[in-house]
Amino acid sequence: MTLTVAAAVLALEGLTALVWGVYVGYEIVIGKAEDVPSALALAGFCVAVGAGFGWVALAVLRALRWSRGPAVVAQIFLLPLAVNLIQAEQYGWGIPLVAAAAIALVTLLAPQSTQALMDE
């Protein structure tokens, strides 16, 4: 159960990044992007991050041993980002991101997850 919850959270984070990348790409196409090279870089980065999160989420769901490391490291990187968003009064993004990262970390580091991922 813990791996399923962790995979769902990772997939949601990946989907959010993917949607954001597509949205930025859409803004480029319709001419709303103020700095096109930066917007292209951001769109590409978001799509790549979304795909990466999706890949890791699938690996966590399949209980592949290697998946826990990248999943935990990603959450550790997301926590300072979430805190910065909250400090910038972007509560609509920061609070859900803190919650998602915390849920993912707790479920990934739970004893049941450890047993499932480390079982031979």
Side-chain angles (χ1 to χ4, degrees), residues 24-117:
V24 171
Y26 171 74
E27 283 193 330
I28 294 168
V29 170
I30 65 170
K32 278 193 160 185
E34 292 180 19
D35 184 6
V36 175
S38 293
L40 278 170
L42 177 61
F45 179 75
C46 288
V47 168
V49 166
F53 268 87
W55 182 45
V56 172
L58 186 59
V60 167
L61 190 59
R62 292 181 178 172
L64 299 178
R65 179 180 281 195
W66 65 265
S67 63
R68 184 159 129 173
V72 169
V73 169
Q75 303 315 304
I76 291 170
F77 279 114
L78 287 178
L79 285 172
L81 173 63
V83 170
N84 283 336
L85 287 168
I86 291 169
Q87 289 175 342
E89 298 181 5
Q90 297 292 320
Y91 303 112
W93 288 103
I95 292 173
L97 189 55
V98 165
I103 291 168
L105 281 172
V106 167
T107 55
L108 285 165
L109 299 174
Q112 300 92 334
S113 296
T114 301
Q115 182 179 7
L117 291 168

